[in-house]
Amino acid sequence: MDDIEVTFLDRGRVQADRNFVVDGASVATASNRDPSHEYETYVVWNLVIETPELTILWDTGSHPEAGDGYWPEPLYEAFAHVDADEHHLADDLGGAGYELADIDAVVMSHLHLDHAGGLAEFAGTDVPVYVHREELPFAYFSATTDEGSIAYLQRDFDHDLNWQIVHGDSYHLADGVELLHLPGHTPGLMGALIDRPGTPLLIVGDEAYVEANYAGQSMATSLLWSNAAWKESLERCRNIQRETGADVLLGHDLSVFESLA
């Protein structure tokens, strides 16, 4: 559609071992029992999607105090958001010409700590926060028990928020904005197909952290809720790309982000 505009927000850099992101990136063998590890830099991003109906914020990034004790130490040791303190949500929005008050709706792709850290900015407001039906209970289950995923922090999302629950495989949010349920990384992961001018944008997000994942190499088991669901979602994304010719925005691939932003 000619009246949709997508603005990319750079929310900083995470550094981590590639083995988390691409399963078996470096493994010991009989002849090489001490392989070198690739410690890489990944991007955290958000989007502002401007439509005639709504100004939509896609995800909210990490909490700015991630490296100052807000994130549990074992999590920060594994995935270090090294410049989170330089990326307050209001500031990054301001750099793109927006204010928090301009946001009409927030879409949470999922509720992991590098995506939900800015939700407190919308606490006590009537701004709708869209989350998939399968994500919210799993986030609370994970954050309050010893099961599920350790990547959820209750203090990120346990606020007075205007939750709007998305059901099913697809959800029409606004003209030209279709939310897609892509379970695998988490049970309620969402992507989207944005019918922007020229080339559509397919938001794959954390269904594929980097290009190797989109090519079919899975993430490590610790980053997958269900490998079988992940494979099905990946095929769905590839089919949509083939049908639409869309550009593909991946979860944390810095080079892909920079080529699209």
Side-chain angles (χ1 to χ4, degrees), residues 117-185:
L119 272 174
E121 298 286 1
F122 300 96
T125 75
D126 60 357
V127 175
V129 179
Y130 291 87
V131 64
H132 197 274
R133 168 65 180 84
E134 300 301 324
E135 184 69 10
L136 192 57
F138 186 73
Y140 273 97
F141 170 77
S142 296
T144 57
T145 75
D146 293 332
E147 299 185 33
S149 168
I150 62 172
Y152 294 99
L153 295 182
Q154 185 174 354
R155 55 184 174 268
D156 277 342
F157 52 80
D158 193 9
H159 301 291
D160 177 20
L161 296 165
N162 181 16
W163 294 112
Q164 298 296 310
I165 304 303
V166 176
H167 296 266
D169 291 335
S170 299
Y171 182 85
H172 177 82
L173 181 60
D175 286 347
V177 180
E178 195 74 18
L179 304 184
L180 308 170
H181 184 210
L182 303 174
H185 176 55

Side-chain angles (χ1 to χ4, degrees), residues 3 5-6 26 31 37 43-44 55 77 80 110 133 146 151 165 173-174 177 179 194 202 208 216 239 241:
D3 46 8
E5 182 178 351
V6 178
S26 58
S31 59
H37 287 251
V43 64
V44 176
T55 299
E77 279 291 301
H110 60 306
R133 168 65 180 84
D146 293 332
I165 304 303
L173 181 60
V177 180
L179 304 184
I194 312 298
L202 176 60
N239 286 338
Q241 184 190 18

Side-chain angles (χ1 to χ4, degrees), residues 13 46-47 49 53 59 72 75 105 143 156-157 169 184 203 231:
R13 301 290 177 268
N46 296 157
L47 302 175
I49 304 165
E53 303 165 64
D59 283 339
L75 285 173
D156 277 342
F157 52 80
D169 291 335
I203 303 174
K231 290 179 179 178

Side-chain angles (χ1 to χ4, degrees), residues 8 14 33 35 81 91 100 113 122 125 151 159 174 181 187 199 212-213:
F8 294 76
V14 166
R33 300 188 181 187
H81 193 156
D91 293 342
L100 286 165
L113 73 177
F122 300 96
T125 75
H159 301 291
H181 184 210
T199 305
N213 302 141

Side-chain angles (χ1 to χ4, degrees), residues 3-21:
D3 46 8
I4 291 182
E5 182 178 351
V6 178
T7 300
F8 294 76
L9 301 182
D10 188 331
R11 303 301 315 285
R13 301 290 177 268
V14 166
Q15 296 179 341
D17 191 316
R18 186 172 173 84
N19 274 301
F20 286 119
V21 175

Side-chain angles (χ1 to χ4, degrees), residues 31-155:
S31 59
N32 181 12
R33 300 188 181 187
D34 188 23
S36 60
H37 287 251
E38 299 173 75
Y39 194 70
E40 296 187 334
T41 298
Y42 304 98
V43 64
V44 176
W45 53 263
N46 296 157
L47 302 175
V48 178
I49 304 165
E50 188 84 46
T51 80
E53 303 165 64
L54 298 169
T55 299
I56 303 161
L57 175 65
W58 186 275
D59 283 339
T60 67
S62 302
H63 193 282
E65 297 177 3
D68 194 29
Y70 184 89
W71 284 11
E73 184 177 356
L75 285 173
Y76 194 85
E77 279 291 301
F79 292 91
H81 193 156
V82 295
D83 57 356
D85 60 334
E86 302 173 17
H87 288 279
H88 293 253
L89 178 57
D91 293 342
D92 286 350
L93 280 170
Y98 292 94
E99 298 180 357
L100 286 165
D102 295 327
I103 303 302
D104 298 314
V106 178
V107 175
M108 295 305 305
S109 66
H110 60 306
L111 294 172
H112 278 174
L113 73 177
D114 55 331
H115 296 259
L119 272 174
E121 298 286 1
F122 300 96
T125 75
D126 60 357
V127 175
V129 179
Y130 291 87
V131 64
H132 197 274
R133 168 65 180 84
E134 300 301 324
E135 184 69 10
L136 192 57
F138 186 73
Y140 273 97
F141 170 77
S142 296
T144 57
T145 75
D146 293 332
E147 299 185 33
S149 168
I150 62 172
Y152 294 99
L153 295 182
Q154 185 174 354
R155 55 184 174 268

